[in-house]
Amino acid sequence: MGDEGKETGYHIHSHDVVIVGGGLTGLRAAIETVDHGLDTAIISKVHPLRSHSVSAQGGINAALGNAVPGDSWEDHAFDTIKGSDYLADQDAVEIMCKNAPATIIELEHFGTVFSRLPDGRIAQRPFGGGMFPRTCYAADRTGHNILHTLYEQLVGREKNEKGKGGRLTFYDEFFVSSLVKVGDDSFEKGAGKAKRCAGCTAINIADSSLHGFTCYSLLLATGGFGRLFARSTNSLINTGDGASLALRAGVPLKDMEFVQFHPTTLYDTNILVTEGARGEGGYLLNSRNERFMEKYAPKSMELAPRDIVARATQQEIDEGRGFEGGYVLLDLRHLKKEKIAERLPGIRLISMDFAGVDPVESPIPVQPGQHYSMGGVVAGNDLATELPGLYAAGECSCVSVHGANRLGGNSLLETVVFGKLAGQEIEKNFPSSGSWDKKGVEKAVLERLSAEDSRIKALLAKKSGVKMHSLRDELKKTMFEYFGVFREGSKMEKGLKKLLELKATYPEVHINNKSPLFNHALIYTLELEGLFDIAEAVARGAIARQESRGSHSRVDYPERDDERFLYHTIYRLKDGKPVLESLSVRLGKFPIKERVY
Ligand SMILES: Cc1cc2nc3c(=O)[nH]c(=O)nc-3n(C[C@H](O)[C@H](O)[C@H](O)COP(=O)(O)OP(=O)(O)OC[C@H]3O[C@@H](n4cnc5c(N)ncnc54)[C@H](O)[C@@H]3O)c2cc1C
């Protein structure tokens, strides 16, 4: 496993490309770089098959027109842009929607077992925001199917012989703790003094040893930051590490205030109940047995975009038409046992195991919960960030295909379309000589490793102080309470004050467990430091945006305000201080309209 670091005590690994993240984005990118001959490393803090992508349920969008003929990429793009409340960059949406049908076919050829129509073609179900059967699925375990397919593809490539594609190495259960930058002139003559990303540092979770990685290009594919909020459908690992790594390396974040709340998460545990359940015909009832979506979206009903259904559900609960404890009901009984077993088997099991309810016989108790991070690391359509050598794709990035609200089924699509493109771009920009100043980079990596070593030793040296778990719980509660489904200016100011007070206590944080073996408390503590960076970006963006758009709903500014706010929020650290800037939205052929559903 690379240089054993006899002199320094650190382990150094050298690759052409380092991909941080073993979810759909990272794996899809790796297929591309490996097939183009690049020596690729995939680093993941969990085994790749435990990445959050595995839990995606409902499906992946593509205008195949299988279930109902007559769909087109333009219709898909229109629905996406309207769903985004016009904040998506239209050229990026075009890339995603145009590539969608070929991507599904490619996944099928890789081996993904999609559900089928009786004539054998890939089946499609309606999802929110489109109301058209455009979402391809593998029962309600779509992410599981695609992730396993891509992983299998890569396991085959791990055994590549010389001359047949590039080398591939998995670093499972390695936690990336910082990015490494070097002067660009150590790479190419005449590139000036600009900095460049040339690697990262990581902790091997099994034994806490420190590892340095050198590379020519590094792709962040680290997923979302759902675990910043008290109620979330996201895996425990979704702590937005990529966004904070980038921010600290001087790379800005975009549209962080846009956080998606899903209307149907299981009461109390907040495990997701897929939109596919409504796509198959399920409907929502309040405590008066009313299908309340009639009031909020009379045309689309339960298949209006998520932000609209989540707000409607929360409003019913807030105004006393929910059930005690704060939930409404999702009724699937009329779909009957056979259809539920065929199309929604996972949802039935989840409901029985975690809520004690069999949806064949009783409605499922549901409530809104955080689900998706629309904002992320600023990346162009070529997935490049502001920092040469650093790329970002998938949920950790903001290429701006989702704008202010993501449509269900578009995120899986984003991971595979832009994961592939990221791999292609990295390959395109790789030096034809295949070489660069690796010694210079190694020196920079060693310096960073020594800084990380001191940071970790200082954390472990503390004998008493604030408990990591209590601080993290406080942060999550604060974010859900002050920056949740509904937001208001003075309340958010209070929330920001509270979160800055909490952040100020982070240096006091104390870890009981001092063992080097699988010290998850240490990893959680490092994640928590990053979560504070992200929390501040969300809070400051939300306070500054005095309008309601997509998922960002302000009771004090209930209207969308295109004159003042049709722009992206850019958040960066300058000399360690937060700075907000704005960036124009790239409009196109789809004109801005009212968002009526
Ligand atoms: C319950 C649920 C259901 C969903 N259903 C759907 C759906 O039906 N359709 C749809 O389109 N979208 C769905 N989504 C959204 C979609 O699944 C995700 O947006 C997408 O899978 C994210 O993929 P990704 O590759 O960007 O990141 P992830 O799959 O989250 O992977 C992130 C990777 O980064 C690694 N990582 C993170 N930080 C570090 C670090 N510091 N060091 C090392 N490794 C690190 C992790 O180990 C992991 O391998 C769903 C999401 C959830 C939560």
Side-chain angles (χ1 to χ4, degrees):
M1 224 196 229
D3 181 348
E4 291 307 310
K6 283 193 193 83
E7 283 162 34
T8 59
Y10 305 130
H11 307 252
I12 303 289
H13 312 273
S14 190
H15 296 277
D16 295 338
V17 185
V18 166
I19 296 175
V20 186
L24 285 175
T25 311
L27 298 190
R28 184 62 195 85
I31 292 179
E32 223 53 31
T33 55
V34 171
D35 283 358
H36 284 92
L38 299 186
D39 175 350
T40 303
I42 298 178
I43 311 179
S44 174
K45 65 180 175 178
V46 293
H47 185 279
L49 291 177
R50 302 188 66 197
S51 304
H52 188 62
S53 293
V54 83
S55 53
Q57 301 174 349
I60 174 167
N61 295 338
L64 293 176
N66 281 359
V68 177
D71 203 5
S72 66
W73 76 261
E74 284 94 341
D75 286 352
H76 182 185
F78 171 74
D79 289 339
T80 301
I81 289 160
K82 184 179 170 195
S84 83
D85 224 347
Y86 298 95
L87 201 74
D89 286 339
Q90 297 197 9
D91 52 357
V93 173
E94 194 169 320
I95 293 174
M96 182 174 78
C97 298
K98 265 189 186 161
N99 274 292
T103 300
I104 298 296
I105 304 302
E106 183 181 68
L107 287 174
E108 188 201 29
H109 291 182
F110 278 158
T112 304
V113 191
F114 285 111
S115 294
R116 300 277 158 179
L117 292 168
D119 67 6
R121 287 173 307 145
I122 293 172
Q124 295 182 283
R125 59 167 49 129
F127 245 48
M131 286 165 41
F132 188 91
R134 181 182 292 139
T135 308
C136 311
Y137 57 94
D140 54 2
R141 297 176 184 129
T142 313
H144 181 109
N145 264 281
I146 306 177
L147 192 68
H148 277 255
T149 308
L150 295 188
Y151 188 67
E152 282 162 18
Q153 286 288 328
L154 283 169
V155 168
R157 285 161 172 83
E158 224 183 346
K159 300 193 173 53
N160 271 350
E161 288 157 23
K162 259 204 149 84
K164 285 192 182 163
R167 238 181 70 198
L168 171 67
T169 315
F170 283 100
Y171 295 88
D172 295 346
E173 303 191 335
F174 275 60
F175 176 83
V176 172
S177 65
S178 72
L179 299 179
V180 176
K181 293 198 296 184
V182 292
D184 210 358
D185 40 4
S186 65
F187 279 81
E188 284 149 33
K189 282 207 179 93
K193 294 260 176 287
K195 290 281 185 184
R196 177 180 178 96
C197 179
C200 63
T201 62
I203 303 167
N204 180 356
I205 298 174
D207 60 7
S208 292
S209 55
L210 277 174
H211 295 247
F213 290 82
T214 72
C215 59
Y216 189 79
S217 308
L218 187 142
L219 171 66
L220 289 172
T222 50
F225 55 81
R227 283 287 156 175
L228 179 57
F229 290 84
R231 278 190 210 159
S232 174
T233 63
N234 283 200
S235 310
L236 296 176
I237 55 170
N238 283 15
T239 47
D241 307 352
S244 66
L245 288 171
L247 194 64
R248 285 170 196 196
V251 177
L253 308 181
K254 195 203 278 175
D255 292 340
M256 294 294 281
E257 63 271 32
F258 294 104
V259 176
Q260 180 166 86
F261 293 87
H262 196 290
T264 61
T265 77
L266 203 62
Y267 172 59
D268 206 27
T269 54
N270 303 110
I271 300 171
L272 182 75
V273 179
T274 174
E275 192 165 289
R278 283 170 283 136
E280 295 295 349
Y283 46 72
L284 291 165
L285 298 171
N286 63 18
S287 57
R288 298 180 189 166
N289 211 28
E290 294 161 343
R291 257 183 98 175
F292 58 84
M293 283 312 298
E294 259 162 18
K295 275 186 295 188
Y296 301 92
K299 248 172 65 193
S300 326
M301 299 289 284
E302 282 84 0
L303 286 182
R306 278 179 192 169
D307 56 327
I308 294 175
V309 188
R311 276 195 293 278
T313 307
Q314 192 61 50
Q315 195 169 329
E316 291 296 300
I317 295 168
D318 291 348
E319 293 176 0
R321 293 183 296 279
F323 293 85
E324 203 183 327
Y327 63 89
V328 296
L329 295 175
L330 174 64
D331 201 347
L332 307 183
R333 286 173 297 181
H334 54 288
L335 302 183
K336 304 278 189 265
K337 189 172 178 179
E338 201 176 294
K339 190 164 180 186
I340 293 176
E342 185 204 324
R343 307 274 176 91
L344 302 163
I347 293 305
R348 186 171 180 212
L349 279 183
I350 286 170
S351 306
M352 295 200 294
D353 290 347
F354 294 94
V357 163
D358 182 350
V360 172
E361 287 157 13
S362 316
I364 311 170
V366 291
Q367 64 184 172
Q370 189 285 346
H371 182 57
Y372 186 80
S373 322
M374 264 81 70
V377 181
V378 183
N381 290 349
D382 58 358
L383 293 314
T385 70
E386 251 183 46
L387 183 65
L390 182 69
Y391 296 77
E395 191 171 342
C396 75
S397 71
C398 185
V399 179
S400 290
V401 283
H402 311 301
N405 172 61
R406 167 179 78 90
L407 292 191
N410 268 353
S411 173
L412 288 183
L413 181 61
E414 179 191 13
T415 64
V416 273
V417 168
F418 287 100
K420 179 175 181 178
L421 285 178
Q424 288 174 345
E425 286 294 327
I426 287 171
E427 193 272 326
K428 201 168 88 190
N429 296 320
F430 195 72
S432 50
S433 65
S435 66
W436 65 95
D437 174 13
K438 290 185 183 143
K439 281 282 154 223
V441 175
E442 208 173 296
K443 195 165 153 263
V445 169
L446 282 170
E447 277 168 20
R448 267 247 53 87
L449 278 169
S450 153
E452 287 300 287
D453 206 1
S454 309
R455 175 161 83 117
I456 291 161
K457 282 192 175 126
L459 268 176
L460 290 170
K462 285 209 196 71
K463 295 206 164 59
S464 63
V466 180
K467 287 247 175 297
M468 180 274 297
H469 290 102
S470 357
L471 186 56
R472 194 177 61 181
D473 286 353
E474 273 298 302
L475 170 65
K476 286 157 72 164
K477 269 201 300 214
T478 305
M479 291 310 288
F480 197 81
E481 187 179 337
Y482 295 91
F483 302 94
V485 180
F486 292 108
R487 298 166 171 183
E488 193 268 326
S490 59
K491 196 174 166 195
M492 287 195 290
E493 292 286 358
K494 267 193 220 147
L496 175 61
K497 192 163 164 273
K498 194 159 175 212
L499 97 84
L500 292 178
E501 282 165 11
L502 292 173
K503 187 178 179 182
T505 65
Y506 180 82
E508 310 299 319
V509 85
H510 154 246
I511 305 167
N512 262 336
N513 183 0
K514 311 286 181 198
S515 165
L517 304 181
F518 290 99
N519 191 338
H520 285 289
L522 170 65
I523 302 299
Y524 295 158
T525 308
L526 294 170
E527 287 172 351
L528 178 60
E529 192 175 357
L531 278 175
F532 275 114
D533 292 339
I534 297 167
E536 205 176 328
V538 172
R540 291 193 187 278
I543 291 170
R545 188 174 281 277
Q546 297 175 331
E547 65 159 351
S548 289
R549 183 185 296 272
S551 66
H552 174 67
S553 175
R554 295 222 11 190
V555 289
D556 48 351
Y557 294 96
E559 302 300 326
R560 191 176 82 198
D561 184 347
D562 288 334
E563 227 153 85
R564 288 174 67 213
F565 290 104
L566 184 61
Y567 63 69
H568 299 294
T569 306
I570 301 292
Y571 179 90
R572 67 169 84 234
L573 296 180
K574 273 195 182 148
D575 303 321
K577 300 238 159 36
V579 179
L580 285 178
E581 296 160 0
S582 55
L583 180 73
S584 308
V585 176
R586 293 196 301 274
L587 301 172
K589 63 173 154 196
F590 300 102
I592 299 178
K593 288 194 181 144
E594 279 303 299
R595 200 163 161 254
V596 181
Y597 283 96

